[in-house]
Amino acid sequence: MTDSSFRLGYVPGVTPAKWARIWAERLPRTPIELVQVASADAVALIRDAGAEAALVRLPIDRTGLHAIPLYVEQTVVVVPKDHVVTAVEEVALEDLADELMLHAQDDVLTWEQPLPGRVIDERPATTAAAIELVAMGTGLLVVPMSLARLHHRKDLTFRPLLEAPSSQVALVWPEGADSALVEEFVGIVRGRTANSTRGSRPDPEAKKAEPKKQPSRPQKKKSAAPKGPTPKRKYRRR
């Protein structure tokens, strides 16, 4: 695994820097190329061989793909810093009942229930555009915390939103493309050490077992000569 490269796709908000750093430490001669891709295009990137693997948000069409769920993201509501919501540490869906809400067309959350509040009919094309509208006081926005941090502004903040749907990040790659490089990256995201026997690296040579020393037989103690009866002392009469 030298003098080649490994292309890793990732969707906005996901930060592969930690895994890329570990990769660089373990495979210094195999550069890793990070390719950011829109959430809607992440699966196509893999199917079209634009990357060996990708960090995406579930759910996706898993047909022909391996997928390893990694972690669940916290869902938050993005609000102006002077909004009344900032008075609490976390927000319930019912707390947003009277609020104007934005719903971006590239929303990554799967809503099985209606969005909270009064949803504005005109949907912003992107999350970035929706964030701009929040800053203008047009409405509030529900997103994963990673996207709220990605689009951070000094005049905005966010609070955790209870009972809202959450997003899950996963590593995906094509079935039948289990190359040594892919296996190496899978091992990294799963936390395997460089010497793990489950990774693509060969197992370290086992040390030859030293022959066991035969335990020396304990020497029998020589039994002391049996003592005879104690001779009786004779007393002389005076």
Side-chain angles (χ1 to χ4, degrees), residues 73-106:
E73 297 181 296
Q74 172 71 60
T75 302
V76 301
V77 55
V78 181
V79 302
K81 275 195 171 180
D82 59 355
H83 195 278
V84 64
V85 162
T86 60
V88 296
E89 294 296 324
E90 52 190 21
V91 183
L93 289 175
E94 59 185 17
D95 296 332
L96 304 176
D98 297 328
E99 300 290 343
L100 288 174
M101 303 298 299
L102 296 160
H103 189 199
Q105 294 180 29
D106 63 352

